[in-house]
Amino acid sequence: MEGNVDSKELAAYLLNHHSEQLDSIIVSPDPRLHYSLYVDFAEIMDDNPSLSQFIFAKPTEYLPLFDEAALWAQKVIWADVKQRENASIKDNIHVRINISGSPLECPETFPSIGRVRVKHRGILLTIKGTVIRSGAVKMIEGERIYECRRFILQRPKFCESTSFQLVEDNKICHDYQEIKIQESTQVLGVGAIPRSIPVILKDDLVDMVKAGDDVIVTGILTAKWSTDLKDVRCDLDPVLIANHVRRMNELKADIDIPDDVALKFKQFWTEFRDSPLKGRNAILRGICPQVFGLFTVKLAGISPLALTLIGGVQHVDASGTKVRGESHLLLVGDPGTGKSQFLKFAAKLSNRSVITTGLGSTSAGLTVTAVKDGGEWMLEAGALVLADGGLCCIDEFDRFDIVLVLLDTKNPDWDAVVSSHILAEAETKSHNCEEDLGAIWPLPMLRRYIQFVKKYFRPVLTKEAEKIISSYYQLQRRSATQNAAHARLMFRDEVTRLDAITAILCIESSMTASAIVESMGNALHSSFAENPDQEYAKQERLILERLSLRDEFPEVISTGRSIWG
């Protein structure tokens, strides 16, 4: 690289491309705040390739120059805005470089945390990870002004005096926060240990993220001495001084659902208008298709995989108390019954998921762990915090809303059907069913469907659903949060009698005693009925009779006519 760039040239660039941002900063009311001015690296490359090279190769030198340039640029446009209310030149503007969409997203300048090396020191480096620790916001001194006490008549060009006095009230301080980010376990190979790195946030970047957030951080890699501990060698630890932080939570929450796909969902339910449970089962078959049957697990197991992923509707009462709408499900049983398969598939379905083990979670803490770092106690996020807003899959663990016991009892007929399913699995994988929603739904379509119904449906209980759930609660003193989730699955904004009965069936499937529905059978050996709507009508009549609701729904008891005809 040849040549050089001064702050005036950088100011000219900001005036040409970011005058609107500067204008909004000048008219902001508080002159003491620190303000961010966001610049796209890809835009700099298009406009001034040599400048982009300087910023990438010498960020320690050119990022402060960019901040100075922002002050110059303010003064240039000051004449046009000084008459406006609250207008003032701000002393604390920080240019933040966003590398999104630029060549800096290549592996060499965007390595995984575990591959950060000395060669990355001094360049504009970007890393991605999950915030696992968030320290308190502190105050750090940036500059101090001293006064030479020897020369008092004439200001010298330089001073050899060792007699200085601190000028009071002239310390320049900055907000300072240290966080730690860890690479995602989902991108690691078998047996790999997730690595972490501390990140320093200053001024306008503090408190931007919290534990559990997925972030992309651009900054300058440097080193600091490790904590001085007795009988422990003091090493240099890598640390990233952040220039730009981008939260990925919002981006992950939104899956692209084109209008034609949304139309497919609506057409699908139009086709199954007269047999809604058959349509529901067509969706359920796409859940963990490599495991045959387990209808109860895929329905109540749609509780972890769809009803839990889809989720119920959170309720907030007048006092502000929140009642969660999502349910927790526990799968216990014999080895080889597909429990781990369901966990892994659930993690794939969810946009935000954490897979851990009960042993590691309980020893480290499900919510937070208190750790001591450099003599200071800090809180480190646990599995549930890291999975906030998503799905937490914990192997070898217990406490939950639905408990399904999977017993691998001897059943020759069942074994024959399962073996046939396994042999046919390869053929199923090669079949492209993206267009045919009546067949097994592929994983991408399932993810889109779950996100679509979560976004557009907030079901409310109908009167008849309230009666059924109230009667069941009084009988069993257990709540069923699966009502709203099943209504969402069925593409509706109302929790109907169908959803209430289905929720009861899910709860009943998890009970080994005191069940009101007898002979529910082994959850492991539950399969998809050929005519689920007729099968449901029988179960509905039985449940309504057991709940003493014959007088409330006489047409169902006497004629067997269900809610759709």
Side-chain angles (χ1 to χ4, degrees):
M1 291 183 299
E2 298 181 358
N4 208 341
V5 178
D6 59 19
S7 57
K8 290 186 178 180
E9 186 175 345
L10 294 175
Y13 170 83
L14 294 176
L15 287 170
N16 289 333
H17 297 277
H18 299 281
S19 57
E20 290 185 3
Q21 280 196 68
L22 288 167
D23 187 281
S24 63
I25 291 173
I26 291 176
V27 297
S28 297
D30 195 340
R32 296 169 299 176
L33 292 180
H34 289 257
Y35 294 90
S36 301
L37 197 157
Y38 295 100
V39 174
D40 291 330
F41 191 82
E43 183 183 79
I44 300 176
M45 289 190 67
D46 291 339
D47 184 80
N48 193 332
S50 61
L51 172 58
S52 66
Q53 284 292 316
F54 284 125
I55 295 172
F56 165 70
K58 299 180 180 180
T60 307
E61 176 182 348
Y62 280 91
L63 290 180
L65 276 180
F66 238 143
D67 292 350
E68 290 181 17
L71 292 176
W72 274 89
Q74 278 190 101
K75 295 174 182 178
V76 172
I77 62 176
W78 168 248
D80 296 331
V81 297
K82 63 182 180 181
Q83 303 299 329
R84 293 165 62 178
E85 186 179 358
N86 296 323
S88 63
I89 293 179
K90 306 301 188 298
D91 295 326
N92 302 309
I93 299 183
H94 307 280
V95 176
R96 303 302 181 190
I97 308 295
N98 180 13
I99 63 101
S100 177
S102 76
L104 294 191
E105 290 187 315
C106 68
E108 190 62 28
T109 57
F110 197 161
S112 64
I113 295 176
R115 294 186 177 273
V116 172
R117 299 291 185 267
V118 172
K119 66 179 181 179
H120 296 119
R121 186 178 183 185
I123 65 171
L124 195 65
L125 180 68
T126 302
I127 57 176
K128 179 181 180 180
T130 302
V131 180
I132 61 170
R133 186 185 301 177
S134 181
V137 177
K138 301 177 182 178
M139 186 180 295
I140 188 173
E141 288 187 21
E143 297 177 21
R144 278 187 177 186
I145 298 178
Y146 286 88
E147 182 182 75
C148 176
R149 304 182 67 183
R150 176 178 295 181
F151 300 96
I152 57 175
L153 298 178
Q154 182 180 359
R155 182 178 180 182
K157 295 182 179 179
F158 64 92
C159 183
E160 297 177 348
S161 173
T162 57
S163 178
F164 289 92
Q165 180 179 359
L166 176 66
V167 179
E168 296 296 335
D169 300 327
N170 277 282
K171 295 179 184 177
I172 299 177
C173 296
H174 301 271
D175 290 324
Y176 172 94
Q177 184 182 28
E178 187 171 317
I179 64 173
K180 181 175 284 189
I181 64 174
Q182 176 179 286
E183 57 190 340
S184 173
T185 56
Q186 296 184 355
V187 300
L188 298 178
V190 177
I193 300 174
R195 306 296 181 182
S196 59
I197 187 173
V199 176
I200 292 175
L201 307 178
K202 293 174 64 177
D203 299 321
D204 52 308
L205 298 182
V206 301
D207 265 352
M208 277 190 65
V209 297
K210 62 181 184 301
D213 285 343
D214 294 321
V215 295
I216 293 178
V217 183
T218 300
I220 305 170
L221 182 69
T222 183
K224 70 171 184 176
W225 290 108
S226 58
T227 306
D228 186 15
L229 299 175
K230 185 178 181 181
D231 299 327
V232 177
R233 188 177 71 180
C234 193
D235 294 322
L236 282 172
D237 293 333
V239 61
L240 189 72
I241 300 177
N243 169 264
H244 181 272
V245 178
R246 181 158 56 117
R247 294 177 71 240
M248 299 296 292
N249 301 43
E250 296 83 359
L251 300 179
K252 289 184 67 176
D254 295 329
I255 291 181
D256 180 35
I257 304 177
D259 292 339
D260 62 325
V261 174
L263 182 61
K264 280 185 182 180
F265 295 150
K266 296 175 183 178
Q267 290 174 342
F268 171 84
W269 284 108
T270 301
E271 293 174 7
F272 287 97
R273 180 175 50 209
D274 297 328
S275 54
L277 295 186
K278 192 172 182 179
R280 178 201 66 186
N281 289 3
I283 300 175
L284 295 186
R285 284 192 177 91
I287 293 180
C288 211
Q290 67 270 29
V291 178
F292 177 77
L294 273 72
F295 167 76
T296 305
V297 179
K298 293 180 180 181
L299 174 58
I302 222 188
S303 235
L305 303 188
L307 295 190
T308 289
L309 284 170
I310 291 173
V313 178
Q314 185 183 71
H315 296 281
V316 183
D317 62 18
S319 65
T321 303
K322 296 181 180 179
V323 180
R324 63 178 170 88
E326 294 76 17
S327 43
H328 301 160
L329 180 138
L330 172 66
L331 295 176
V332 295
D334 296 330
T337 52
K339 301 185 298 295
S340 297
Q341 295 283 353
F342 273 98
L343 281 182
K344 293 175 183 177
F345 192 85
K348 290 180 182 178
L349 267 181
S350 177
N351 292 327
R352 182 183 178 93
S353 62
V354 171
I355 301 180
T356 184
T357 62
L359 179 63
S361 297
T362 49
S363 61
L366 269 178
T367 50
V368 291
T369 305
V371 293
K372 197 170 187 178
D373 187 7
E376 180 184 1
W377 285 98
M378 304 177 70
L379 295 180
E380 189 164 303
L384 286 179
V385 176
L386 297 179
D388 182 34
L391 183 68
C392 185
C393 300
I394 309 175
D395 210 352
E396 302 172 6
F397 195 65
D398 53 26
R399 63 159 177 64
F400 292 82
D401 298 306
I402 302 178
V403 179
L404 296 179
V405 181
L406 307 182
L407 298 178
D408 194 6
T409 55
K410 292 182 179 180
N411 188 327
D413 295 333
W414 178 262
D415 294 340
V417 174
V418 171
S419 61
S420 299
H421 175 79
I422 294 173
L423 293 174
E425 179 65 19
E427 181 181 350
T428 303
K429 287 183 178 179
S430 63
H431 176 60
N432 182 10
C433 51
E434 179 74 22
E435 299 300 324
D436 184 11
L437 297 188
I440 296 178
W441 284 36
L443 179 63
M445 189 63 75
L446 275 174
R447 295 183 68 183
R448 283 176 167 175
Y449 185 77
I450 288 171
Q451 292 300 312
F452 184 84
V453 295
K454 285 180 70 173
K455 182 176 181 180
Y456 289 102
F457 294 102
R458 296 189 61 83
V460 294
L461 281 170
T462 59
K463 292 296 183 181
E464 58 180 19
E466 286 183 0
K467 290 178 183 177
I468 294 173
I469 295 301
S470 177
S471 299
Y472 181 71
Y473 179 79
Q474 293 174 36
L475 185 65
Q476 294 290 4
R477 299 192 66 188
R478 298 185 61 171
S479 66
T481 61
Q482 292 76 34
N483 294 285
H486 189 266
R488 276 176 166 170
L489 171 67
M490 302 295 288
F491 220 67
R492 285 192 270 97
D493 265 322
E494 279 189 342
V495 176
T496 65
R497 192 164 74 229
L498 168 64
D499 305 308
I501 296 293
T502 303
I504 291 175
L505 290 173
C506 290
I507 295 296
E508 290 291 303
S509 299
S510 70
M511 302 173 66
T512 57
S514 302
I516 65 170
V517 180
E518 298 174 356
S519 65
M520 282 296 293
N522 188 336
L524 177 64
H525 294 170
S526 59
S527 60
F528 290 84
E530 291 186 7
N531 196 323
D533 299 276
Q534 288 184 4
E535 185 68 25
Y536 166 80
K538 299 176 184 177
Q539 295 169 336
E540 182 184 45
R541 289 199 302 274
L542 176 61
I543 289 177
L544 293 178
E545 287 178 347
R546 294 295 176 88
L547 294 177
S548 301
L549 293 175
R550 298 174 60 97
D551 296 336
E552 298 288 343
F553 305 100
E555 74 286 357
V556 176
I557 302 299
S558 59
T559 66
R561 183 173 61 85
S562 192
I563 58 174
W564 54 86

